[in-house]
Amino acid sequence: MSDRLEGRAEIDAELQGSVARGLGAVRDRVEQAARAAGRDPASVALLAVSKLQPAAKLRAAYSLGQRDFGENYAQELVAKAAELADLPDLRFHMIGHLQRNKVASLVGLVSAVHSVDSVRLAAELGKRAKDRPVPLARRLAPNGELMVFIEVNVAGEAQKSGCSPAELADVIAAVRAEPALRLAGLMAIPAGGGEASVSRAQFEMLRELQEEHGGPGLLPGSSIGMSRDLEVAIECGSTWVRVGTDVFGARG
Ligand SMILES: *Cc1c(COP(=O)(O)O)cnc(C)c1O
């Protein structure tokens, strides 16, 4: 092997090792938090947030059994989907603010959208997803519907994304009106620095909204919890934790 190839192999081994450590540590935290909350660890799924991380790190996580990846930017998601097209059961989740003019480029590539925050966005997703169901190997819903979480702004002024609690009923109705969408539940990004008490108050608000708007029958899932507050989120009923930094390291 030439020196150059050896150098490459060392970088790859280092990257694989660091993703293995990060992913392993986060899986342990999720499992411990679930047990501490008296929940079945299998009821909490890990979404590895890979925004601004190279495709090689997603490949490393995939080789360790990770299948669900969260991306924030439409253009980056499209590029990574092309780079990783040889992994047919890798599932992308769009978790960042989504503009309606980007919807057409994403449907068919993503298995879920966690950031639906308006009636108009729900209608556009429903219309486009009808023509392009999620491919069989990447499905989270049985008939190829696109899984949708409604993002709610529970942080008030400090947070700009998400619908307001007052708009939630209309957004729920808009998602339910679209046969190509499957309503998965609510999503929130709490304001604050991840202090347990601050995140907890906002997660509890989300739980109250879930109860008010049909309960787990209509809104079974809850997409809450990041590197800084996943334990609190799991205590508060999270079914999808979205973890980036603690899996992949600081973003480039
Ligand atoms: C970046 C991001 C995450 C992951 O945050 P970390 O602190 O890196 O774990 C989760 N959710 C959303 C919506 C994000 O934008």
Side-chain angles (χ1 to χ4, degrees):
M1 219 196 285
S2 75
D3 284 355
R4 201 162 150 262
L5 279 178
E6 262 172 43
R8 178 75 243 166
E10 266 170 41
I11 293 168
D12 289 348
E14 200 175 297
L15 182 147
Q16 181 79 24
S18 94
V19 172
R21 283 188 297 279
L23 190 59
V26 170
R27 283 173 172 162
D28 286 348
R29 280 173 66 191
V30 169
E31 178 166 344
Q32 277 185 25
R35 291 196 195 290
R39 298 182 53 195
D40 176 0
S43 69
V44 188
L46 172 59
L47 181 59
V49 176
S50 46
K51 64 171 175 239
L52 307 178
Q53 300 284 1
K57 286 197 184 175
L58 285 78
R59 235 175 240 290
Y62 180 93
S63 77
L64 297 157
Q66 180 66 31
R67 290 294 177 269
D68 294 283
F69 295 87
E71 290 284 338
N72 286 61
Y73 311 105
Q75 208 176 343
E76 184 182 350
L77 197 159
V78 171
K80 277 193 185 139
E83 269 183 278
L84 300 168
D86 59 310
L87 307 176
D89 60 346
L90 182 155
R91 294 181 290 259
F92 279 110
H93 298 229
M94 176 61 179
I95 65 173
H97 181 67
L98 178 55
Q99 287 170 307
R100 277 180 302 139
N101 63 8
K102 297 282 166 42
V103 165
S105 67
L106 289 186
V107 291
L109 295 182
V110 294
S111 303
V113 176
H114 291 236
S115 45
V116 174
D117 60 358
S118 73
V119 168
R120 293 168 81 197
L121 178 58
E124 180 68 11
L125 277 168
K127 182 175 129 195
R128 301 285 180 178
K130 228 181 313 189
D131 303 328
R132 288 183 74 187
V134 180
L136 196 55
R138 303 185 198 274
R139 279 178 190 179
L140 285 166
N143 300 313
E145 306 99 311
L146 183 61
M147 292 266 285
V148 160
F149 288 89
I150 297 172
E151 180 177 356
V152 190
N153 178 356
V154 290
E157 290 292 300
Q159 183 67 44
K160 296 209 165 48
S161 56
C163 71
S164 71
E167 293 164 326
L168 180 56
D170 286 344
V171 184
I172 289 175
V175 172
R176 294 186 74 202
E178 297 295 338
L181 305 181
R182 171 84 151 222
L183 181 57
L186 303 182
M187 180 272 214
I189 308 170
E195 305 87 349
S197 64
V198 176
S199 290
R200 186 186 308 278
Q202 294 171 55
F203 294 152
E204 280 172 359
M205 251 180 89
L206 196 74
R207 176 106 88 166
E208 282 166 25
L209 289 169
Q210 180 196 21
E211 288 308 322
E212 275 170 39
H213 292 270
L218 200 60
L219 301 166
S222 145
S223 170
I224 50 173
M226 305 172 31
S227 294
R228 60 192 195 184
D229 56 15
L230 72 89
E231 282 84 2
V232 188
I234 289 170
E235 257 185 77
C236 294
S238 176
T239 60
W240 281 95
V241 288
R242 309 178 310 266
V243 186
T245 312
D246 286 359
V247 171
F248 294 115
R251 287 178 275 274

